[in-house]
């Protein structure tokens, strides 16, 4: 059976440049849609967070920013169906990523607050990338690679082709104008070969060897489907 480690932010906020705190967490669609796809494929899913803390749902992701009402209802119902799993994640520092066929990071603004600075996650990402085994990051989740450094101090992701939420998409949120940094900018600063889709908020994925990335919440299904197709070969 294919085993997936899904690493979810444990942050419930995003601290902005002026010191204000924006309530945050994980983005509903980015957990629900891939989890459902992997589960239907018969895969075994383990949820992990920093400290084993139950992740917080960003309530904005079930509002108008989360898409059409029917879609939000469907996502909310699915999250309700896996509440026991979400309430009892394992602590990230207790898992061995080599035990899993896929490591998958969903996004939300939460990773900008915790995973971007989490040494355990950074080491996991660096090791996983070097292993050649599948690693996937969605939307804001590539922020986590900020914590991954090589022995020479250079990001192990430098030169790799990736995507993630674009500046244009981020700045659709008014509060993002007070962001300490924007993901697209940070990825470029790390030396990533960043690209984005021509139309904001539309599905866009990038595959570079064992590294899979999706640009935005709307890329959730396409990224999950690509992973299932590739790992099922």
């Amino acid at each position: 059976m294919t085993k997936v480690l899904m690493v979810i932010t444990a942050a419930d906020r995003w601290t902005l440049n002026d010191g204000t705190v924006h309530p945050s967490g994980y983005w509903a669609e980015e957990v629900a849609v891939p989890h459902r796809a992997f589960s239907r494929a018969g895969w075994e899913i383990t949820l992990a967070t920093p400290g084993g803390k139950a992740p917080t749902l960003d309530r904005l992701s079930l509002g108008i920013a989360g898409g059409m009402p029917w879609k939000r209802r469907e996502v909310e119902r699915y999250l309700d169906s896996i509440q026991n799993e979400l309430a009892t994640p394992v602590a990230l520092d207790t898992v061995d990523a080599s035990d899993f066929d896929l490591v998958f990071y969903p996004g939300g603004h939460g990773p900008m607050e915790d995973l971007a600075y989490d040494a355990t996650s950074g080491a996991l990402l660096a090791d996983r990338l070097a292993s050649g085994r599948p690693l996937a990051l969605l939307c804001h989740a590539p922020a986590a690679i900020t914590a991954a450094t090589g022995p020479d101090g250079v990001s192990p992701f430098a030169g790799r082709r990736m995507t993630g939420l674009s500046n244009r998409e981020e700045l659709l949120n008014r509060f993002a104008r007070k962001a300490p940094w924007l993901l697209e900018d940070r990825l470029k600063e790390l030396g990533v070969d960043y690209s984005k889709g021509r139309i904001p908020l539309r599905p866009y994925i990038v595959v570079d060897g064992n590294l899979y990335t999706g640009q935005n919440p709307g890329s959730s299904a396409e990224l999950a489907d690509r992973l299932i197709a590739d790992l099922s070969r």
Side-chain angles (χ1 to χ4, degrees):
M1 177 183 291
T2 301
K3 298 175 66 176
V4 184
L5 176 64
M6 184 176 284
V7 181
I8 306 177
T9 176
D12 61 3
R13 65 192 62 199
W14 186 23
T15 305
L16 303 176
N17 250 347
D18 61 359
T20 59
V21 171
H22 175 71
S24 186
Y26 70 87
W27 199 259
E29 180 179 2
E30 297 176 36
V31 169
V33 171
H35 190 290
R36 181 176 57 193
F38 299 154
S39 181
R40 287 176 175 174
W43 293 4
E44 179 183 313
I45 306 165
T46 297
L47 304 184
T49 64
K53 180 182 177 182
T56 298
L57 170 67
D58 187 334
R59 300 307 303 182
L60 285 180
S61 64
L62 291 179
I64 192 169
M68 298 296 289
W70 63 267
K71 181 179 181 181
R72 303 198 305 264
R73 289 193 297 268
E74 188 176 271
V75 164
E76 186 171 21
R77 282 195 298 269
Y78 187 78
L79 291 176
D80 287 343
S81 76
I82 60 169
Q83 270 308 304
N84 287 342
E85 289 180 61
L86 288 166
T88 56
V90 300
L92 187 58
D93 61 1
T94 67
V95 299
D96 183 349
S98 66
D99 292 336
F100 296 87
D101 302 290
L102 169 66
V103 174
F104 183 93
Y105 278 60
H109 282 112
M112 306 282 279
E113 183 80 11
D114 64 351
L115 293 174
Y117 309 98
D118 189 289
T120 297
S121 173
L124 184 159
L125 289 167
D127 290 347
R128 187 69 181 193
L129 186 69
S131 75
R133 302 181 69 195
L135 167 65
L137 304 105
L138 177 60
C139 196
H140 283 95
I145 75 167
T146 301
T149 55
D152 55 0
V154 175
S155 172
F157 290 84
R160 299 300 295 264
R161 292 185 293 109
M162 297 181 67
T163 189
L165 198 78
S166 69
N167 289 354
R168 184 177 178 188
E169 289 169 320
E170 185 70 271
L171 292 171
L172 293 173
N173 302 307
R174 285 187 182 179
F175 56 84
R177 300 183 186 280
K178 297 187 289 184
W181 45 274
L182 299 179
L183 180 60
E184 178 182 338
D185 293 341
R186 177 58 54 89
L187 294 179
K188 291 175 179 177
E189 288 167 5
L190 292 172
V192 166
D193 181 4
Y194 176 87
S195 66
K196 57 189 173 185
R198 298 175 72 177
I199 304 175
L201 305 179
R202 297 295 299 162
Y204 181 76
I205 65 172
V206 172
V207 180
D208 182 6
N210 66 317
L211 179 60
Y212 295 72
T213 48
Q215 181 176 325
N216 46 41
S219 304
S220 300
E222 187 170 325
L223 181 60
D225 288 346
R226 176 63 184 269
L227 289 162
I228 291 169
D230 285 1
L231 271 70
S232 298
R233 290 176 180 170

